[in-house]
Amino acid sequence: MVLQWSCSTKRNTFTSRTYHTITAHYNVYFNGNESYKRGVKKMTQQHKDDFTNLLPVFIYPGTEAANAVSTDMDRAIKKASKTIVLHSITAKPDYKKGVKTERQKAFYNKREYNKWIDDAYLLMAKAYLVKGELGYVNNILRQMIKDYPKENTIIEAQLLLARKLILEDEFTESGEILEKLADQKNFPKKHLALLNAIYAEYYIRRKMPDKAAEKLEIAAKNAPNKFYRLRYTFILGQLYQQMGNFPKATEKYNQVIRMNPPYEMTFNARINMANVYEKGKGNASQIRERLYKLLADEKNTEYRDQIYFAIGNLYLAENDKEKAIENYKLSVASSVGNSQQKARSYLAIADLYYQDKEYLSAQAYYDSSLSLLDEKYADYMLISNRARSLTMLAKSLQRVAFEDSVQFVARMSENERNMFIDQIIAKVKEKEAEEARRQQELLQEQQNNMMAYNEMQGRSLTSSATSGGGWYFYNLSAKSSGEAEFKLKWGTRKLEDNWRRSNKSVVNVETGEATAGESDKSEESDKKTAQKGLSNKTREYYLVDLPLTDSALHASHERILSNLLTSASIYKNDLHEYSLAAGQYQEIIRRYPDRPEAAEAYFQLYMLARQQNNISRAEEYKSKLMMQFPESNYARLLANPNFVNELQEKERRVSQLYEQAYQQFNQGNFQQVLQLSQQGITQYPNHSLKLKFIFLQALAKGRLMGNDTLRMELANFIRTYPKTEEAGLAKDIIAALDAIHPESKAEAEKQIARVIFRQPQETDRQWVIVALSGTNINPANQLSFNLINYNLDHYPNVNLSVKIEALGNRNQLVIVREFKSTAEAMNYFKSISTDPEVRREVNNIEDIFVITEANYTLLQGEGNIDTYRAFFREVYK
């Protein structure tokens, strides 16, 4: 008891200090520190660098390698915490009264008397930094700097705080900390490498590679071991390469190779040396020869994408773009898992096509690169914007070409058209026959390979099986054989549902044919083809998109006009290709000289000519615009310098009128709101505020005439303007009304239903529909099977079909068609409503109802089962 009392942390004696210092160091802190060092070593060994980008100076928290050592860091934190809790001595020592020396005073005023406590705090902060828990790191380090300003750990604590701030892109405070430490006289040499490495990371993050290189040179010279010396030297090579200092970059990569690093780093140093080749300053042929030797080496199979990329760069340095693109494409084709390199290769091809103004080719490669690039990539936004512009351009140009082609075919006589389509069908059949023949040859080759492989492996498989290999996946020989056989037959397949099928669309339970799923959205023509289930070897398949009627031809011309305007705008504003933009505007005038859009085309041509200082051409376009479209805003703008001011005044007046109507609404003067809203609708029928006037008018009517009227007006607004912002507000108001007055909802639904749906006649053929809540197809498939079985058992002599269709984004419908009369449909409705077999393994049946084909079409347009439910209950009784 005396010993325990003398060693208590509540007493500060020589005995207690000695006991807790030794125990803290060797019994607790030591184990925690060993766990931390073990975790750091494991992290550096497991970390996988992306050599296609600038290597990070440190392994970042949140990486796979850092997450893998979380257990080691947790143990380090636990031991550090235990050291602090059990061995911290903050009690003051007992001193006899009297005069004390300066040394005694300093000792008496200490905050902590166990010298390992600050080390424990530092260990805890380092472990939390690896785990990425920066909040804890911040609190611990700032408390350390405040409480232990004169301890040996304070410099490392400040360095760690600076690194944490850099991770958060907080450059002001981190810069101040690093500057003060760098200016210290007699800065400890053991921390010199860490200081300069953190300083280098600071400048890299700030995109100042020259200053980063200066600091990293010092860090490399003072690196504590080979791992860091190699890493810092390789990064120096990358930094000099980034700055365009190719001789210095080559020097650093050579240093890396001489240090005998792991093979991957050696390989990438050699590749980067090839990438820094400068035309006229080296022998490209010799470098290429070395790269081709690397290609021939089997151990470089997974690196072939990088080798081809380097060869492409060599050709590009010699201005041989064709050869460069060829090798970049080989780089893409040989990629086996390095998505970043694949993205760089795609990007290199895209940039070359873009420079040569081959925009449609560039678009495809930018698109491919974007699918692989991380959003943190330096030029991601530039690439994304360029890809978006080029994608819009490609779609516009392709749409114009498509509409021209279908119009060309539509203008043919029926006989000419049929002959033309028959030629296409013949080519399709020929192509399919060739593909079938090729597939048969490939299948035969695979079977021969499998037989040869199985014959070769037969003996080892037999011996393995008979020697008690156990479960298949524990038998490595059988597993390898099965994997090889699978790849021979199926190739490399992603682990997912329906892996055998390239088309993951839903299968119609009635016909067994595939129908497009919600995610497979293509052009309108493809949807029509899929809906009709037409074969591409029938004439009807190719007639779907032909504009054979006046209305279809008009719609086709509208699409051409819209896409010509879009492509012209992209050429002018995004690509700055003014001659190409002018060509598109001239095409609009040539094709549609009398359309209002021609006025815009003349105006844009006028502006382009002025921009190019071609005054005579500009005046020519202005004259034509004034002559052909004198009342257009564009003509008024050129004729009247004050036209813009007048437009602004008009905008001010309409805004003022709406503001006045809105104020009257807030004040409860609803009759006045109706008058002002109607004035706005009448005077400004084409203004964007027209919808707001109509919406305000609906709200005012509702406040004057009651909730039923309000609900009806808002429902009509949603139906008329379904995709507007105001329609969303209207839905919210209706939902609030229904929550407060549920009794009025049913009556309103009935009124709306009477307007929308048609009264069924006795002779109308009827369908029975079972609606499932949600868009999951699996319950719908199960219900379909249940109904098919039910029909076979109870309606064997009636020809009923079952099909699945979607209703909006909320419901799946299972449709049973068709019944000859209302009575027959209602009998079926009643029998399935109560039969448990129909509901077997299906829990989300929302409703069952009878409907005519005409009303089903209206329901699809309305998309609201609640409205039809009210109609069904009232009309079918």
Side-chain angles (χ1 to χ4, degrees):
M1 287 176 66
V2 170
L3 182 62
Q4 285 180 343
W5 170 247
S6 64
C7 294
S8 168
T9 57
K10 293 181 180 179
R11 288 178 56 80
N12 189 343
T13 64
F14 175 78
T15 303
S16 65
R17 288 194 302 273
T18 304
Y19 170 79
H20 285 289
T21 298
I22 294 172
T23 307
H25 181 200
Y26 293 106
N27 196 28
V28 189
Y29 172 80
F30 175 82
N31 292 326
N33 195 40
E34 287 298 305
S35 183
Y36 172 77
K37 289 192 291 185
R38 185 167 55 250
V40 169
K41 184 178 180 181
K42 192 191 304 180
M43 182 172 67
T44 56
Q45 290 171 343
Q46 293 184 1
H47 178 66
K48 181 75 174 171
D49 277 312
D50 174 16
F51 287 94
T52 58
N53 290 310
L54 182 68
L55 298 189
V57 178
F58 302 99
I59 298 172
Y60 292 141
T63 58
E64 198 173 318
N67 292 338
V69 298
S70 181
T71 304
D72 295 299
M73 296 303 127
D74 286 339
R75 177 174 169 78
I77 291 165
K78 185 177 179 181
K79 292 295 182 182
S81 301
K82 193 174 179 182
T83 302
I84 295 163
V85 171
L86 298 181
H87 301 293
S88 172
I89 301 175
T90 56
K92 299 297 180 185
D94 293 330
Y95 273 143
K96 294 177 182 179
K97 293 181 180 179
V99 179
K100 300 179 181 66
T101 64
E102 290 298 320
R103 186 176 177 183
Q104 287 175 324
K105 287 179 184 178
F107 184 78
Y108 187 81
N109 291 325
K110 285 181 69 172
R111 189 185 183 283
E112 175 61 58
Y113 292 89
N114 186 335
K115 68 177 183 177
W116 290 103
I117 298 302
D118 57 310
D119 294 85
Y121 274 120
L122 183 63
L123 174 62
M124 195 186 301
K126 290 194 290 188
Y128 274 128
L129 184 63
V130 173
K131 286 169 64 69
E133 298 182 24
L134 302 185
Y136 288 127
V137 177
N138 181 73
N139 295 340
I140 293 167
L141 293 175
R142 291 189 186 280
Q143 194 66 40
M144 273 190 72
I145 292 167
K146 177 184 174 185
D147 292 344
Y148 308 106
K150 295 183 179 179
E151 297 295 337
N152 293 333
T153 54
I154 202 66
I155 288 177
E156 198 172 350
Q158 289 173 304
L159 287 170
L160 215 60
L161 179 60
R163 191 180 156 202
K164 172 260 173 190
L165 292 167
I166 292 166
L167 280 172
E168 297 174 319
D169 291 336
E170 213 313 302
F171 299 123
T172 304
E173 188 182 357
S174 58
E176 290 172 357
I177 293 171
L178 293 170
E179 191 176 349
K180 285 179 183 176
L181 290 172
D183 288 343
Q184 273 187 21
K185 292 182 179 179
N186 303 319
F187 183 84
K189 189 175 181 180
K190 67 176 182 178
H191 294 314
L192 202 57
L194 182 59
L195 167 65
N196 285 282
I198 294 172
Y199 229 142
E201 182 79 353
Y202 168 81
Y203 283 124
I204 288 170
R205 289 260 184 160
R206 293 191 62 191
K207 298 190 174 16
M208 300 166 72
D210 51 340
K211 293 193 173 183
E214 287 177 20
K215 298 297 181 183
L216 209 55
E217 288 279 12
I218 302 170
K221 286 176 184 174
N222 294 276
N225 54 47
K226 181 180 175 180
F227 173 84
Y228 290 106
R229 191 159 53 254
L230 268 172
R231 188 174 193 83
Y232 297 160
T233 307
F234 192 94
I235 297 171
L236 277 167
Q238 290 181 305
L239 287 171
Y240 288 127
Q241 182 177 347
Q242 202 177 82
M243 290 185 281
N245 189 343
F246 297 150
K248 198 73 175 171
T250 302
E251 178 191 324
K252 292 299 171 185
Y253 290 133
N254 268 319
Q255 283 181 22
V256 169
I257 294 167
R258 285 197 298 271
M259 282 190 273
N260 193 26
Y263 181 74
E264 188 176 17
M265 186 174 277
T266 302
F267 172 82
N268 280 281
R270 293 190 187 281
I271 288 293
N272 286 359
M273 284 170 66
N275 286 332
V276 298
Y277 163 79
E278 288 184 279
K279 187 179 179 184
K281 295 186 179 180
N283 192 325
S285 298
Q286 286 182 0
I287 298 173
R288 253 195 304 272
E289 190 177 336
R290 285 199 294 268
L291 291 173
Y292 281 122
K293 283 182 181 177
L294 289 175
L295 271 178
D297 192 337
E298 285 186 8
K299 68 182 176 185
N300 291 329
T301 301
E302 64 178 297
Y303 303 122
R304 283 178 180 166
D305 52 349
Q306 291 175 254
I307 300 170
Y308 278 121
F309 185 77
I311 295 171
N313 287 344
L314 281 173
Y315 279 116
L316 188 61
E318 295 176 313
N319 292 324
D320 191 339
K321 290 185 180 180
E322 189 176 334
K323 282 283 189 182
I325 289 174
E326 179 185 323
N327 280 278
Y328 291 147
K329 287 181 178 178
L330 286 170
S331 172
V332 169
S334 58
S335 177
V336 292
N338 190 339
S339 60
Q340 291 303 304
Q341 177 56 64
K342 197 171 188 177
R344 288 177 71 199
S345 302
Y346 276 133
L347 201 53
I349 300 168
D351 286 340
L352 287 175
Y353 280 135
Y354 189 84
Q355 289 167 17
D356 290 344
K357 301 184 180 181
E358 295 183 36
Y359 294 122
L360 297 188
S361 297
Q363 179 269 330
Y365 286 98
Y366 277 128
D367 239 19
S368 298
S369 67
L370 268 183
S371 67
L372 298 169
L373 284 175
D374 190 276
E375 289 187 13
K376 294 177 182 176
Y377 184 77
D379 295 324
Y380 184 86
M381 285 309 299
L382 172 66
I383 298 164
S384 178
N385 292 334
R386 187 174 285 181
R388 185 165 54 250
S389 296
L390 293 179
T391 298
M392 289 174 62
L393 177 66
K395 286 182 177 178
S396 297
L397 296 178
Q398 288 163 2
R399 191 71 204 192
V400 171
F402 174 79
E403 296 297 338
D404 279 341
S405 65
V406 294
Q407 285 187 21
F408 172 76
V409 178
R411 286 194 296 270
M412 294 177 178
S413 68
E414 187 174 353
N415 286 337
E416 289 175 328
R417 188 161 53 245
N418 288 339
M419 287 174 63
F420 180 79
I421 292 173
D422 289 344
Q423 289 174 0
I424 295 174
I425 292 171
K427 288 180 180 178
V428 169
K429 289 179 178 178
E430 184 181 333
K431 185 177 179 182
E432 287 186 0
E434 175 62 25
E435 179 65 20
R437 185 189 62 77
R438 196 183 67 80
Q439 288 292 338
Q440 185 62 36
E441 288 177 357
L442 182 62
L443 181 61
Q444 185 62 49
E445 183 184 347
Q446 289 173 342
Q447 287 174 349
N448 293 340
N449 290 338
M450 285 170 62
M451 288 173 64
Y453 184 86
N454 289 338
E455 186 177 341
M456 180 180 68
Q457 293 291 324
R459 186 175 302 170
S460 61
L461 286 174
T462 304
S463 63
S464 178
T466 55
S467 62
W471 189 42
Y472 170 82
F473 289 102
Y474 294 155
N475 187 328
L476 296 180
S477 176
K479 185 180 173 186
S480 299
S481 173
E483 184 179 354
E485 183 176 334
F486 178 89
K487 287 184 177 179
L488 278 171
K489 184 174 182 181
W490 298 102
T492 302
R493 294 294 176 106
K494 182 181 177 183
L495 181 61
E496 59 182 353
D497 291 341
N498 298 324
W499 57 267
R500 294 178 186 82
R501 290 164 51 196
S502 59
N503 181 1
K504 306 291 192 295
S505 52
V506 176
V507 174
N508 185 308
V509 294
E510 179 189 355
T511 64
E513 294 178 356
T515 56
E518 281 293 311
S519 61
D520 301 321
K521 297 192 177 177
S522 57
E523 294 294 327
E524 184 180 349
S525 59
D526 293 332
K527 291 181 185 177
K528 291 178 182 175
T529 303
Q531 288 167 0
K532 293 192 175 184
L534 298 174
S535 166
N536 65 347
K537 293 182 282 294
T538 62
R539 289 175 180 173
E540 290 78 8
Y541 178 92
Y542 299 96
L543 293 172
V544 169
D545 292 313
L546 297 184
L548 299 173
T549 63
D550 290 343
S551 60
L553 185 60
H554 174 76
S556 177
H557 280 298
E558 289 295 321
R559 287 191 287 272
I560 290 175
L561 183 53
S562 170
N563 284 285
L564 283 173
L565 281 169
T566 299
S567 58
S569 175
I570 293 169
Y571 277 136
K572 176 176 176 283
N573 299 318
D574 295 352
L575 304 179
H576 308 295
E577 291 285 358
Y578 302 123
S579 59
L580 292 174
Q584 296 300 90
Y585 287 125
Q586 286 163 354
E587 186 68 8
I588 291 169
I589 294 167
R590 185 186 70 79
R591 289 179 182 234
Y592 308 106
D594 300 325
R595 289 290 301 264
E597 289 81 357
E600 180 183 349
Y602 276 124
F603 178 77
Q604 294 293 352
L605 286 167
Y606 166 82
M607 297 298 292
L608 286 169
R610 287 291 300 266
Q611 189 172 337
Q612 295 169 335
N613 292 320
N614 193 337
I615 305 303
S616 61
R617 179 62 62 87
E619 288 302 315
E620 180 186 338
Y621 287 129
K622 177 181 177 181
S623 175
K624 289 179 178 179
L625 173 60
M626 304 293 285
M627 186 184 302
Q628 295 182 37
F629 300 96
E631 298 302 318
S632 68
N633 284 344
Y634 297 105
R636 291 176 182 176
L637 178 60
L638 295 181
N640 178 9
N642 292 322
F643 180 68
V644 173
N645 293 333
E646 291 171 4
L647 277 179
Q648 289 175 341
E649 176 59 24
K650 181 181 176 181
E651 284 294 316
R652 190 191 63 77
R653 287 198 302 271
V654 66
S655 297
Q656 192 175 45
L657 181 62
Y658 178 75
E659 206 171 305
Q660 188 180 352
Y662 187 72
Q663 287 174 355
Q664 292 296 325
F665 181 84
N666 286 334
Q667 292 170 12
N669 301 326
F670 302 119
Q671 198 64 50
Q672 188 69 15
V673 173
L674 291 176
Q675 293 174 12
L676 293 170
S677 297
Q678 189 57 47
Q679 182 183 339
I681 295 165
T682 306
Q683 291 182 1
Y684 307 104
N686 299 318
H687 198 277
S688 58
L689 284 176
K690 176 186 173 182
L691 276 183
K692 294 190 181 296
F693 281 119
I694 295 172
F695 186 63
L696 205 56
Q697 197 176 53
L699 294 176
K701 284 182 183 177
R703 296 299 293 270
L704 283 171
M705 302 176 197
N707 288 335
D708 290 344
T709 301
L710 176 59
R711 199 182 190 287
M712 180 67 72
E713 290 287 332
L714 292 176
N716 288 336
F717 185 93
I718 293 168
R719 208 161 32 252
T720 311
Y721 311 104
K723 295 183 179 180
T724 61
E725 182 185 354
E726 290 78 13
L729 292 172
K731 289 175 184 176
D732 292 341
I733 295 170
I734 288 175
L737 283 173
D738 291 345
I740 299 169
H741 304 288
E743 70 285 349
S744 65
K745 178 182 178 181
E747 185 58 34
E749 292 283 3
K750 286 181 185 179
Q751 293 178 22
I752 295 169
R754 290 189 198 113
V755 174
I756 296 171
F757 298 108
R758 301 174 187 173
Q759 288 288 329
Q761 303 300 315
E762 185 58 34
T763 56
D764 286 344
R765 291 181 177 273
Q766 307 279 342
W767 301 347
V768 173
I769 293 182
V770 184
L772 296 166
S773 60
T775 56
N776 191 339
I777 195 67
N778 292 328
N781 280 334
Q782 180 63 49
L783 178 59
S784 299
F785 285 120
N786 294 350
L787 286 169
I788 290 170
N789 290 330
Y790 182 85
N791 293 345
L792 290 172
D793 292 339
H794 297 86
Y795 293 84
N797 299 322
V798 182
N799 186 21
L800 297 176
S801 68
V802 179
K803 189 174 182 182
I804 301 169
E805 290 186 13
L807 180 66
N809 295 322
R810 272 190 53 209
N811 300 92
Q812 288 288 338
L813 305 182
V814 180
I815 305 169
V816 183
R817 35 162 90 89
E818 63 189 4
F819 301 91
K820 295 178 182 177
S821 66
T822 303
E824 189 179 315
M826 287 301 293
N827 286 334
Y828 184 87
F829 160 78
K830 290 173 184 175
S831 62
I832 68 168
S833 296
T834 55
D835 195 297
E837 277 302 302
V838 172
R839 296 175 180 267
R840 184 171 56 84
E841 298 184 31
V842 183
N843 300 318
N844 58 338
I845 292 178
E846 187 174 56
D847 218 337
I848 306 176
F849 52 83
V850 178
I851 193 168
T852 65
E853 184 174 3
N855 279 337
Y856 179 73
T857 303
L858 295 169
L859 174 61
Q860 281 286 1
E862 175 69 15
N864 189 345
I865 284 182
D866 294 339
T867 307
Y868 184 77
R869 185 188 292 120
F871 178 83
F872 172 68
R873 289 174 181 169
E874 182 180 19
V875 172
Y876 286 79
K877 305 295 184 186

